[in-house]
Amino acid sequence: MIAIVVSRADNASENIGEQLLDLTDWTERRDDTRPDADGGGVYHRTDGFELRTFDDLHIHLNRPDAAFDDPDLLVVVSRHSGETGPLLTVHHTGNFGEAEYGGEPGQFARAPPNAAAAAVTALRRHAPDGYEVGTECTHHGPTDVGVPSMFVELGSSETDWTDLAGARAVARAVLDLRGADADREKQIAGFGGGHYTPRFGRIVRETEWAVGHVAADWGLEAMGNPATNRTVIRRAIEASATDVVLVEGDRPGLESVLDDLGCRVVTETWLRETGDHPLSLVDAAEARLTAVDDGLRFGDVVPSVEGDTADAVAITALPADLIDAAHAIDAEATRAAVAGVAVAFETVEAGTRPRGRVALPAADPAAAADDLTDALVGILRTGDGDVERRDDEVVVRTESFDPAAARRLGIPEGPAFGRLADGQAVEVNGEQIDPSVVRTERTERLPVVDPPEISE
């Protein structure tokens, strides 16, 4: 069940609350065990949601979850104040430094990264024309909530706070959260960057990773020396329910503390490349091949993992000559051919060129290796020459213009060479020279993709 907090001290919050009640059927109930000011009195229930209204400004509430009937997630609908223009935004709450606007210093409410990502998606779906949708860093209270919680906000001026279309968009987005879990397997905490977290917002929009607490540059400055505030850092990470962290900017002191805390500090490339595969499989691939930041890329195959993750893949070498020959004809198709049969594979040239080893699905690595060879042969056949697939090799026969043969026939270099190279006959000293007599056949033997000798 999702608890929805409306504050009478915030006209945008009341506006959104009215739209929530208008959008679906609610059952009106009464709670005489609590004062009206603290969420008691009249409240509303509908499938998956309970809505209560409080007198205090929401950032100063303490354990608002206690007013509700055993919620799994708490959403505060709120105004957003700023110089951004019309904006719908989502953020978690807490204080990396002093608690100027509610909560306690150095404390954090439990974030719901998955639900926050779902809220961003829903806001983008419902945002009226003229509204931007974004995310913000962690700031203000409350910090003692009791269940995972987040603010979903309407901004950024008095005009926007009273805009019915904007309030209705926020209300629709909140109702779209019905059944959403607080967490997912892939979620991170973040450090660095601006208040509106452009990098972390991009990760939420464009990858399978969700984002918990984020300390913007100003939050880190307010916190102070990472070495003497490691407890604050630890709390933010624990309240994000993760040990994976992205740091924006060069912050060796912070990264040293994160390492000491047992966190995995990753890059945006790593997050983008690991979106579709279970983390246990990512870890196994990096352990047996190379690191993502050193060129490991993941293919289209996601094997089911039962027991030891390492047993889900089998490692073999990519035949460099065959790969390079196909790459010379169609680089994009060659990479796609490898990705199409691979769990993971090593690359060079910023991930664009397969080179090194490949992890094939262990269920039938021989078939995968055979399929890859066939796909690469198909690329070779789109080029010049005759391509023959054999069990242990690929034979490519090509013909090309032979300048030495032309010279032996007394053909002068220049335009005649060019015409012969293009397959056109020329006349020299009254004699017709057919291009076939000055061509040389070249035979190239390329190795196939060998399956692993054993399923590892």
Side-chain angles (χ1 to χ4, degrees):
M1 193 270 287
I2 297 176
I4 302 175
V5 170
V6 173
S7 169
R8 296 186 182 99
D10 176 351
N11 61 343
S13 182
E14 288 191 301
N15 193 6
I16 299 165
E18 291 173 1
Q19 296 302 313
L20 281 162
L21 294 178
D22 185 61
L23 280 168
T24 192
D25 294 328
W26 298 78
T27 300
E28 184 177 297
R29 299 186 180 184
R30 185 168 187 85
D31 180 1
D32 292 324
T33 66
R34 304 177 66 86
D36 287 4
D38 296 333
V42 174
Y43 69 99
H44 297 83
R45 291 290 300 267
T46 191
D47 180 31
F49 297 93
E50 182 176 312
L51 185 152
R52 291 181 181 247
T53 305
F54 298 74
D55 278 357
D56 279 350
L57 189 61
H58 29 55
I59 65 174
H60 297 299
L61 294 176
N62 186 52
R63 287 301 304 269
D65 63 297
F68 295 84
D69 182 16
D70 193 25
D72 301 294
L73 173 68
L74 186 142
V75 176
V76 180
V77 292
S78 167
R79 69 179 178 233
H80 167 70
S81 299
E83 304 298 324
T84 59
L87 176 68
L88 310 180
T89 184
V90 178
H91 72 87
H92 310 302
T93 60
N95 299 300
F96 283 91
E98 294 301 315
E100 297 182 43
Y101 301 100
E104 298 295 326
Q107 300 287 343
F108 305 88
R110 170 66 157 81
N114 179 69
V120 170
T121 299
L123 288 174
R124 287 167 59 84
R125 184 163 53 244
H126 297 300
D129 290 343
Y131 276 85
E132 298 292 330
V133 174
T135 55
E136 295 179 81
C137 66
T138 296
H139 63 294
H140 69 60
T143 53
D144 186 7
V145 177
V147 296
S149 64
M150 62 181 172
F151 273 51
V152 183
E153 300 184 342
L154 168 64
S156 302
S157 68
E158 183 71 40
T159 300
D160 304 317
W161 301 337
T162 58
D163 176 38
L164 293 182
R168 200 167 185 83
V170 174
R172 288 186 183 280
V174 170
L175 292 175
D176 282 356
L177 296 176
R178 180 181 283 112
D181 293 327
D183 300 314
R184 64 176 65 168
E185 182 196 24
K186 295 178 178 180
Q187 53 196 46
I188 65 169
F191 294 87
H195 179 91
Y196 293 99
T197 64
R199 168 170 279 186
F200 297 101
R202 188 167 64 239
I203 288 166
V204 169
R205 294 190 307 272
E206 299 175 5
T207 80
E208 295 301 313
W209 288 84
V211 177
H213 286 290
V214 176
D217 291 341
W218 67 263
L220 291 173
E221 183 177 348
M223 180 185 72
N225 188 334
T228 56
N229 288 280
R230 55 189 295 123
T231 300
V232 175
I233 296 169
R234 176 181 56 76
R235 289 175 186 151
I237 294 166
E238 289 178 350
S240 302
T242 187
D243 60 2
V244 181
V245 176
L246 176 63
V247 177
E248 184 165 356
D250 184 22
R251 304 178 188 275
L254 173 60
E255 291 192 21
S256 177
V257 171
L258 292 169
D259 186 63
D260 288 344
L261 291 172
C263 295
R264 180 174 193 165
V265 180
V266 300
T267 63
E268 184 174 345
T269 296
W270 189 89
L271 296 173
R272 290 183 176 278
E273 295 298 332
T274 58
D276 295 331
H277 290 67
L279 292 182
S280 59
L281 198 60
V282 171
D283 290 341
E286 286 198 300
R288 299 185 63 189
L289 296 173
T290 191
V292 168
D293 291 335
D294 292 330
L296 182 68
R297 294 296 181 263
F298 288 87
D300 301 334
V301 180
V302 184
S304 59
V305 177
E306 297 179 4
D308 188 348
T309 306
D311 293 338
V313 297
I315 310 299
T316 192
L318 290 168
D321 290 346
L322 180 59
I323 293 286
D324 289 349
H327 182 90
I329 295 171
D330 191 331
E332 186 175 336
T334 300
R335 190 189 187 284
V338 177
V341 302
V343 178
F345 55 100
E346 296 174 335
T347 70
V348 294
E349 298 177 12
T352 63
R353 186 169 192 151
R355 175 66 60 83
R357 295 170 294 169
V358 60
L360 301 174
D364 195 348
D370 199 52
D371 289 344
L372 177 53
T373 297
D374 285 343
L376 295 171
V377 166
I379 296 170
L380 294 178
R381 284 176 174 154
T382 66
D384 296 329
D386 177 69
V387 181
E388 180 186 358
R389 164 75 196 272
R390 297 178 178 174
D391 289 341
D392 58 350
E393 66 179 358
V394 177
V395 181
V396 181
R397 298 181 180 87
T398 57
E399 286 188 349
S400 60
F401 172 64
D402 185 347
R407 292 189 193 96
R408 287 194 296 270
L409 293 174
I411 301 170
E413 293 188 32
F417 269 38
R419 288 196 295 273
L420 287 168
D422 290 338
Q424 302 175 30
V426 299
E427 186 174 316
V428 177
N429 298 325
E431 181 182 355
Q432 184 92 348
I433 306 297
D434 189 84
S436 63
V437 302
V438 290
R439 297 183 72 81
T440 299
E441 183 180 280
R442 178 186 175 208
T443 300
E444 190 175 9
R445 299 179 184 279
L446 307 172
V448 300
V449 182
D450 285 329
E453 293 183 6
I454 57 171
S455 296
E456 300 181 56

